[in-house]
């Protein structure tokens, strides 16, 4: 655990780049559907957004969740710092609770009007690929981090659990946003526990009841427990249209259009909700 904490940034970056290359290669080999956007343009847009988000977090919130966890330990704040359950029970419970938090936060992003104005940028993608996993508005990233920091402080989530959870979350987000068609037996096996591309692609459908389903990023169990799970889309994946009607389906939005998106009104705004 000490090695993990001491080398957090290097480990997270190494895992992210490795999975990015692996899943990007699989998109060539076994795509779930034909690409709907030029790869170079899509990658440039989404990676540019990632760079902006990184600077936003570092500038606005220099003390992120790991720093809050360290502070909670030092000052004996948070449930897990007050109740000694043991290292491994605390670690496992922390991973589960963080996953529930991400699920609940995602549901909230879709149902609170102000938060939806931030989150809908993620749904403007006309065709998912692996880089869609990092396509979030900077303000949504900041709001998400604030929620996570508060949760870490209240629960006393240990640093190691935060790091491991973030690695898992980033890896599975890359996977389930990717344009990869799994072999049918593997798809059936994986979706019993995890969110697969076929499950998450439904969430990005233009059809309203499909957009408002399959909120999980890691475990599929929360959607099943809370009644938001949808097993398959109305249309076959090759015909499934992704995006939001108020932005049209003819061309992707530019980085500038995406950044100013929460501050503009659109003629059909609200019809997708």
């Amino acid at each position: 655990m000490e090695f993990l904490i001491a080398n957090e940034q290097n480990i997270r970056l190494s895992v992210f780049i490795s999975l990015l290359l692996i899943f990007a290669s699989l998109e060539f080999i076994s795509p779930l559907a034909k690409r709907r956007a030029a790869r170079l343009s899509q990658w440039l847009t989404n990676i540019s957004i990632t760079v902006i988000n990184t600077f936003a977090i570092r500038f606005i919130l220099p003390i992120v969740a790991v720093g809050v966890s360290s502070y909670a330990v030092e000052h004996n704040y948070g449930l897990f710092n007050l109740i000694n359950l043991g290292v491994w029970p605390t670690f496992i419970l922390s991973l589960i609770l963080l996953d529930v938090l991400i699920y609940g936060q995602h549901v909230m992003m879709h149902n609170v009007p102000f938060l939806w104005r931030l989150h809908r940028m993620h749904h403007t993608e006309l065709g998912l690929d692996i880089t869609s996993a990092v396509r979030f508005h900077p303000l949504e990233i900041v709001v998400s981090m604030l929620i996570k920091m508060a949760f870490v402080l209240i629960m006393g989530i240990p640093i190691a659990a935060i790091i491991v959870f973030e690695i898992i979350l980033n890896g599975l987000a890359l996977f389930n946003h990717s344009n990869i068609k799994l072999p049918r037996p593997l798809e059936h096996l994986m979706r019993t526990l995890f969110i697969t591309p076929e499950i998450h692609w439904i969430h990005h459908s233009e059809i309203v009841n499909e957009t408002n389903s399959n909120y999980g990023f890691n475990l599929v169990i929360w959607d099943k427990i809370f009644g938001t799970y949808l097993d398959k889309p109305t249309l076959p994946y090759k015909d499934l249209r992704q995006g939001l009607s108020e932005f049209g389906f003819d061309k992707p939005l530019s980085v500038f259009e995406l950044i100013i998106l929460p501050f503009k009104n659109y003629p059909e705004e609200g019809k997708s909700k």
Side-chain angles (χ1 to χ4, degrees), residues 207-248:
I207 301 173
V208 175
N209 72 298
E210 294 182 351
T211 306
N212 296 325
S213 70
N214 298 353
Y215 292 102
F217 275 94
N218 291 344
L219 300 177
V220 73
I221 187 173
W222 313 124
D223 281 299
K224 291 184 176 181
I225 288 175
F226 295 109
T228 55
Y229 180 69
L230 199 58
D231 183 64
K232 59 183 179 180
T234 305
L235 300 173
Y237 286 97
K238 65 182 180 64
D239 300 320
L240 188 152
R241 191 162 70 167
Q242 297 164 333
L244 298 172
S245 59
E246 58 259 42
F247 304 107

Side-chain angles (χ1 to χ4, degrees), residues 107-214:
V107 172
M108 187 170 64
M109 288 290 174
H110 277 254
N111 289 280
V112 177
F114 165 71
L115 296 177
W116 171 246
R117 289 176 74 89
L118 302 180
H119 182 66
R120 64 184 177 176
M121 174 182 136
H122 183 63
H123 283 266
T124 59
E125 194 81 282
L126 299 182
L128 293 186
D129 86 344
I130 188 170
T131 63
S132 305
V134 295
R135 183 190 179 98
F136 291 95
H137 196 278
L139 290 178
E140 179 178 355
I141 294 295
V142 171
V143 169
S144 298
M145 184 56 70
L146 287 171
I147 293 171
K148 188 181 299 179
M149 289 165 66
F151 187 77
V152 166
L153 186 63
I154 292 168
M155 297 303 302
I157 305 291
I159 295 174
I162 296 171
I163 296 172
V164 170
F165 178 77
E166 289 295 331
I167 291 171
I168 294 171
L169 178 64
N170 290 339
L172 282 174
L174 289 172
F175 169 65
N176 57 48
H177 283 84
S178 65
N179 185 9
I180 297 173
K181 181 175 179 60
L182 299 176
R184 189 51 44 194
L186 182 58
E187 170 69 33
H188 284 308
L189 177 63
M190 287 200 69
R191 67 163 50 203
T192 60
L193 186 60
F194 299 109
I195 302 293
T196 65
E198 286 194 14
I199 292 174
H200 194 68
W201 272 45
I202 298 170
H203 178 71
H204 282 263
S205 165
E206 66 159 325
I207 301 173
V208 175
N209 72 298
E210 294 182 351
T211 306
N212 296 325
S213 70
N214 298 353

Side-chain angles (χ1 to χ4, degrees), residues 94-104 165 217-219 222:
S94 294
L95 294 182
I96 294 171
L97 289 172
L98 285 169
D99 202 44
V100 178
L101 175 71
I102 293 300
Y103 168 85
F165 178 77
F217 275 94
N218 291 344
L219 300 177
W222 313 124

Side-chain angles (χ1 to χ4, degrees), residues 17 31 41 53 76 93-94 99 167 175 183 265:
I17 292 175
S41 173
N53 288 344
N76 205 35
L93 270 174
S94 294
D99 202 44
I167 291 171
F175 169 65
N265 293 319

Side-chain angles (χ1 to χ4, degrees), residues 14-28:
S14 298
V15 172
F16 179 84
I17 292 175
S18 298
L19 292 178
L20 183 71
L21 294 175
I22 291 170
F23 294 146
S25 300
L26 290 174
E27 287 188 334
F28 277 103

